[in-house]
């Protein structure tokens, strides 16, 4: 009886394993540079709109879009700028270069690279401005950022703020104030 169950389990495993390969190729959500797919997912088009809306809200490039320590864009930057070239043809706008670089010459060179690349896509550069600085959008209040930094992660912070977005009552550890004094009631 035990031998029969053992062989039955083995045969069942072989049958499931061989039939698993008969399902055909799966659908793909990814887009270039991975390339088009013969089996695109039905969800691919909505994701394109979601990504485009996010890019239009953010309107920025960052260090990650450049080859480190140079003004040359990498593949990720080229893909992003190509898409901005398509998205901004009608409306134009301001693209922000978010950088931690303290080298003004490098920052200016990167802005020049962005302008050249966008112009090469056929974009009317009289409608587009490139600025160094943070992207637009609603940011977190400084006091809340200090509290998160000293007390835990953003997930730990969820639900601990008042309706205005300001932190609830409590105090941050001594020494977190820029004046060097205790900062109670951040």
């Amino acid at each position: 009886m035990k031998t029969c169950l053992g062989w039955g389990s083995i045969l069942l495993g072989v049958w499931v394993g061989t039939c698993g390969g008969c399902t055909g190729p799966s659908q793909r959500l990814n887009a270039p540079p991975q390339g088009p797919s013969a089996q695109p997912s039905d969800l691919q088009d909505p994701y394109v709109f979601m990504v485009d809306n996010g890019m239009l809200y953010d309107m920025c490039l960052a260090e990650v879009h450049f080859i480190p320590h140079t003004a040359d864009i990498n593949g990720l930057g080229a893909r992003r700028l190509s898409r901005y070239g398509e998205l901004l043809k009608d409306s134009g706008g301001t693209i922000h270069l978010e950088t931690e670089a303290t080298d003004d010459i490098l920052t200016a060179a990167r802005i020049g690279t962005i302008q050249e690349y966008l112009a090469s896509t056929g974009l009317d550069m009289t409608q587009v401005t490139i600025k160094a600085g943070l992207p637009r959008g609603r940011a977190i209040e400084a006091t809340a950022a200090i509290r998160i930094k000293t007390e835990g992660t953003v997930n730990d912070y969820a639900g601990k703020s008042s309706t205005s977005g300001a932190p609830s009552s409590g105090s941050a550890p001594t020494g977190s104030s820029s004046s060097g004094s205790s900062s109670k009631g951040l």
Side-chain angles (χ1 to χ4, degrees), residues 19-173:
C19 289
C22 300
T23 60
S26 62
Q27 294 179 334
R28 284 181 35 191
L29 284 174
N30 57 342
Q34 292 85 359
S37 172
Q39 295 87 23
S41 170
D42 294 336
L43 299 174
Q44 188 172 12
D45 290 335
Y47 277 121
V48 169
F49 292 120
M50 288 171 37
V51 170
D52 287 351
N53 284 332
M55 285 180 64
L56 288 171
Y57 183 80
D58 198 33
M59 294 285 285
C60 82
L61 273 85
E63 300 281 340
V64 71
H65 298 108
F66 292 88
I67 297 171
H69 315 292
T70 72
D72 299 326
I73 58 170
N74 60 23
L76 181 63
R79 174 70 182 114
R80 189 168 184 90
L81 285 173
S82 293
R83 191 65 184 147
Y84 274 134
E86 296 171 23
L87 294 173
L88 299 177
K89 281 193 192 260
D90 295 329
S91 61
T94 301
I95 296 178
H96 298 272
L97 173 60
E98 182 180 356
T99 180
E100 293 181 11
T102 56
D103 183 356
D104 292 338
I105 296 170
L106 177 60
T107 300
R110 286 180 172 180
I111 289 173
T113 300
I114 293 169
Q115 290 170 330
E116 289 173 19
Y117 194 97
L118 289 174
S120 75
T121 66
L123 194 59
D124 179 9
M125 292 307 292
T126 61
Q127 294 184 335
V128 178
T129 306
I130 314 297
K131 291 183 179 179
L134 295 174
R136 69 183 184 135
R138 189 173 141 214
I140 191 168
E141 293 177 4
T143 53
I146 291 168
R147 184 177 300 273
I148 291 167
K149 181 79 173 166
T150 59
E151 294 181 10
T153 66
V154 173
N155 293 333
D156 296 336
Y157 186 71
K160 294 183 183 177
S161 65
S162 66
T163 57
S164 68
S168 59
S169 63
S171 63

